[in-house]
Every structure is written in C-alpha cells, then in structure tokens.
Amino acid sequence: MAGRECYHCKQWIEEGEAHDCWTTTEAALTGHLPDDLRDAWERVRETAAAFGDQRIYASGTAIMFSRDSCYFFVRPRRSFLEVCVFLGRAVRAPQVRRVERKSASKLVNIVQIRHRDEVEPPFTDWLQEAYELPDKLAARKSTPSRRKTPKPKRVRSRR
C-alpha cells in the first residue's frame, strides 16, 4: 500500500494524489463533535447566518464568518468550540477566556462554548456587534474630526 499520512491533518494520502490539508469543509471539521457540541455548533451557525449577507467557509482548522473581512471564527475542539470574536473592545465577562489585540481597531475575544445553552445573550449580542463593527468603523472614518488642527509652531529667529 503506497502512500503516506499527512503530518498536519493525519489524513492518508495515496501515492500521486494531490493534497492540501488547509483546504477543508465544515463537515470535515465538525464531523467528530459529540451531539451536545454539534447542537451548539448548529446554533452558533444559525445565529450568525441570520445576521445577513456574509460568507461562511472552512479554512485550515477553523470555520470563518466573514463580510468584507472575518468578524469571528470557530475552531471545533474535542470538548468545546473555541469562538474568536473580533470586536472594537475587550469584553469583561466570565465566558471570555482571554483577549488579544489584533489591530489598531480590533481585539479578539476568545470564548469556549461547551453546550447549546451557552449560545444565547450576551454571547449572541457579541456576535451581532462583531458583524456590525465594519459599518461602525467605516462611519467613524467618514465623519470629519471635530478636533482643531494644531497651528504650526512659531520659530523664533535668533539675533
């Protein structure tokens, strides 16, 4: 039996078969989930899909939810769903495991979901806030600043 096991994804690859382990599907990432986590995953997906126009796709080890850019993603684990939500602020709540700055305007709030019942407010409110964040950032950029522009400093001449 000629072939090999991929070091990254542990999939068996026949000799001569093309393989890209970073290309995957939602089904492949969620297929191993126990029933309670599968229910939680379906509720997260349904909640996000109801927000409006977006792209939902699998990439590497995560399922991405994106408008123009990714506003949150889910990494399915054995005993929980790791949900990384991009917001303009750090959320202080017991559900949030940690917060990391990802850009000048966004922080990622990392939440672990273990049961379907955890997919309710305030978690769903954070997802909605993340979905709407690009609109708020764009509005902030288009609004002229009310700050006065500083006057140039006078240079004293030495005599």
Side-chain angles (χ1 to χ4, degrees), residues 33-87:
L33 294 175
D35 290 341
D36 55 342
L37 276 182
R38 183 176 304 284
D39 289 345
W41 157 246
E42 289 172 1
R43 192 164 186 182
V44 167
R45 192 182 195 296
E46 290 167 4
T47 300
F51 295 153
D53 190 34
Q54 62 187 297
R55 183 171 171 231
I56 303 170
Y57 61 97
S59 177
T61 60
I63 301 165
M64 317 298 276
F65 292 76
S66 176
R67 291 180 67 193
D68 292 330
S69 64
C70 178
Y71 70 96
F72 88 93
F73 63 89
V74 178
R75 283 190 195 117
R77 305 290 194 208
R78 286 183 196 183
S79 58
F80 61 90
L81 300 174
E82 184 177 64
V83 183
C84 300
V85 184
F86 295 96
L87 295 170

Side-chain angles (χ1 to χ4, degrees), residues 93-157:
Q95 300 93 322
V96 178
R97 297 296 177 160
R98 72 179 189 273
V99 178
E100 298 175 7
R101 178 158 296 281
K102 290 300 173 188
S103 73
S105 59
K106 291 183 184 178
L107 292 100
V108 64
N109 294 268
I110 302 169
V111 179
Q112 290 181 358
I113 300 292
R114 298 179 186 280
H115 193 270
R116 175 182 177 92
D117 293 342
E118 295 178 73
V119 185
E120 58 187 26
F123 175 74
T124 54
D125 297 336
W126 302 333
L127 296 181
Q128 179 78 42
E129 183 181 340
Y131 179 82
E132 295 168 354
L133 183 62
D135 297 334
K136 290 180 182 177
L137 293 175
R140 196 179 301 162
K141 285 181 182 177
S142 66
T143 306
S145 175
R146 292 193 292 188
R147 284 184 174 177
K148 292 182 181 178
T149 56
K151 294 180 181 178
K153 292 184 181 181
R154 287 180 37 186
V155 178
R156 291 185 187 184
S157 61

